[in-house]
Amino acid sequence: MDARIAVLASGTGTNLQALLDDPHVGHSIVLVVSDKPGAAALERARMRGVKPVVLQPGHYASREGFDQALTALLEEEAIEFVLLAGYMRIVGIATVRAFRDRILNVHPSLLPAFPGAHPVRDVLTWGVRVTGATVHLVDEEVDHGPIVLQEPVLVLPEDDERSLHLRIQEVEHRLFPQAARLLAEGRLKVEGRLVHILEGLD
Ligand code: GRF
């Protein structure tokens, strides 16, 4: 697999690490972009010799200006696929349109249940017994695009937000590289909301 992949991350970057460590996906990651100058994800990129770039929304006059700068950066770097690994901003319409069906997001719930910024907390507050991880294509709406892979995680009586999130992230670290590989190998066929996974390709 010989793709050019960018990862966008705002935080710790454990999903970025899982992607970098994946034997099929890792070597295709050529750019890591963060909106937060102190994000640990940037250091993970540096450690692997992957180009780290900080793009701070506060440096742009408008949301659209930031969005254009991000899209231009991705295009300058000849990026083909974009992976949102704990990227805590809404990707703007310009970027979504420029990379239609080529952006993946990982979300710590079984979408469409519990979208939004703190799904693990919301799951515990609601009292559901089963949650999970979702990898989906990104469209114009938040946590909404067609689902690629999903896996359940049981909520245990003794769980707090941290313990449950850690178990969900273990699943994410397996699911996200798998979905990224399928995307980069051209094995996802999107029909409306449905994503078909094409088997048998090398
Ligand atoms: C992940 O749980 C992801 O689902 C959510 O943010 C978290 C990021 O964790 N969008 P990390 O930065 O990859 O460790």
Side-chain angles (χ1 to χ4, degrees):
M1 191 179 91
D2 221 7
R4 288 182 66 80
I5 298 177
V7 178
L8 275 51
S10 304
T12 324
T14 62
N15 276 286
L16 166 64
Q17 194 64 53
L19 291 161
L20 287 168
D21 290 344
D22 185 85
H24 303 286
V25 176
H27 65 274
S28 295
I29 299 171
V30 294
L31 178 70
V32 170
V33 184
S34 183
D35 54 329
K36 301 256 166 32
L42 293 164
E43 192 47 36
R44 292 182 194 268
R46 271 184 216 109
M47 297 280 286
R48 284 298 171 90
V50 174
K51 182 175 180 179
V53 174
V54 178
L55 221 53
Q56 282 180 272
H59 293 176
Y60 297 86
S62 65
R63 193 180 272 269
E64 290 71 28
F66 174 79
D67 192 22
Q68 276 163 17
L70 175 61
T71 309
L73 169 66
L74 297 172
E75 287 175 345
E76 274 157 29
E77 294 286 339
I79 296 301
E80 299 169 82
F81 304 102
V82 180
L83 308 176
L84 309 183
Y87 184 61
M88 298 311 285
R89 287 183 60 81
I90 295 168
V91 175
I93 285 176
T95 316
V96 172
R97 294 202 173 142
F99 289 86
R100 172 76 64 199
D101 292 342
R102 292 187 291 142
I103 310 177
L104 287 178
N105 181 42
V106 62
H107 183 81
S109 79
L110 290 179
L111 290 173
F114 303 101
H118 27 74
V120 182
R121 196 188 311 164
D122 296 343
V123 154
L124 290 167
T125 306
W126 196 262
V128 300
R129 305 291 193 200
V130 183
T131 182
T134 302
V135 181
H136 66 93
L137 289 161
V138 171
D139 66 8
E140 284 85 347
E141 291 175 57
V142 178
D143 298 332
H144 174 271
I147 291 167
V148 178
L149 294 175
Q150 230 170 9
E151 195 175 302
V153 172
L154 293 181
V155 181
L156 304 177
E158 63 271 25
D159 265 330
D160 58 19
E161 193 175 344
R162 186 179 148 73
S163 66
L164 179 56
H165 201 167
L166 281 173
R167 282 208 312 292
I168 295 171
Q169 280 180 318
E170 277 176 31
V171 174
E172 292 182 338
H173 297 163
R174 204 161 20 79
L175 239 50
F176 203 13
Q178 210 180 322
R181 182 184 177 191
L182 290 169
L183 177 69
E185 288 182 350
R187 292 167 64 186
L188 300 181
K189 187 164 167 261
V190 186
E191 269 180 9
R193 280 218 57 89
L194 301 186
V195 178
H196 304 282
I197 296 175
L198 307 176
E199 303 291 349
L201 300 179
D202 288 331

